[in-house]
Amino acid sequence: MIRYPILNKGNIIGVTATSAGVPIDKREKFELACEILGNEGFEIICGENLWNNEKGRSSCAKKRATEFNSMMQDNKIDIIIPPRGGELLIEILEDIDFKNMDDK
């Protein structure tokens, strides 16, 4: 079942690039979006993989999965969103720690 999140001011949003990262020519727009969300009362935590984008990937599958798992296990983070894409998300599935994953 799909569960749509309800965001409230003060929620923390984790952004991790589980597929493609933010290209350099889109970084300014992405940072503006984060600023606008911050002004609306949300805190944004950006993963390290976010700023890489080579051949449609933000980093190797293991690094993407590790960052995603870390955000999923961080009780401070209320929701996780990707910056874009998703076509290569399948590459990280074998490294996702589904057993230690709480709902977000």
Side-chain angles (χ1 to χ4, degrees):
M1 178 169 79
I2 296 174
R3 199 174 61 106
Y4 296 97
I6 297 172
L7 292 176
N8 298 301
K9 288 186 179 191
N11 282 155
I12 298 175
I13 301 169
V15 184
T16 181
T18 53
S19 186
V22 178
I24 194 74
D25 64 323
K26 304 281 191 249
R27 186 170 183 159
E28 189 175 324
K29 284 185 180 182
F30 178 83
E31 289 174 339
L32 178 61
C34 289
E35 182 180 331
I36 290 168
L37 286 169
N39 291 339
E40 290 296 320
F42 300 99
E43 181 180 342
I44 310 299
I45 296 176
C46 292
E48 291 180 25
N49 291 328
L50 208 54
W51 310 118
N52 303 320
N53 193 42
E54 187 173 326
K55 296 183 181 178
R57 292 170 178 84
S58 62
S59 62
C60 72
K62 290 237 186 257
K63 283 185 179 179
R64 288 181 279 149
T66 298
E67 188 168 275
F68 177 77
N69 287 332
S70 177
M71 286 192 177
M72 284 300 294
Q73 293 167 7
D74 186 337
N75 292 328
K76 295 181 297 188
I77 295 176
D78 299 297
I79 186 172
I80 299 171
I81 59 172
R84 62 189 290 256
E87 295 86 358
L88 301 172
L89 174 67
I90 195 167
E91 296 175 342
I92 72 171
L93 286 180
E94 66 185 45
D95 294 309
I96 299 295
D97 186 4
F98 290 101
K99 293 178 185 167
N100 293 311
M101 190 179 293
D102 292 329
D103 288 345
K104 294 273 179 201

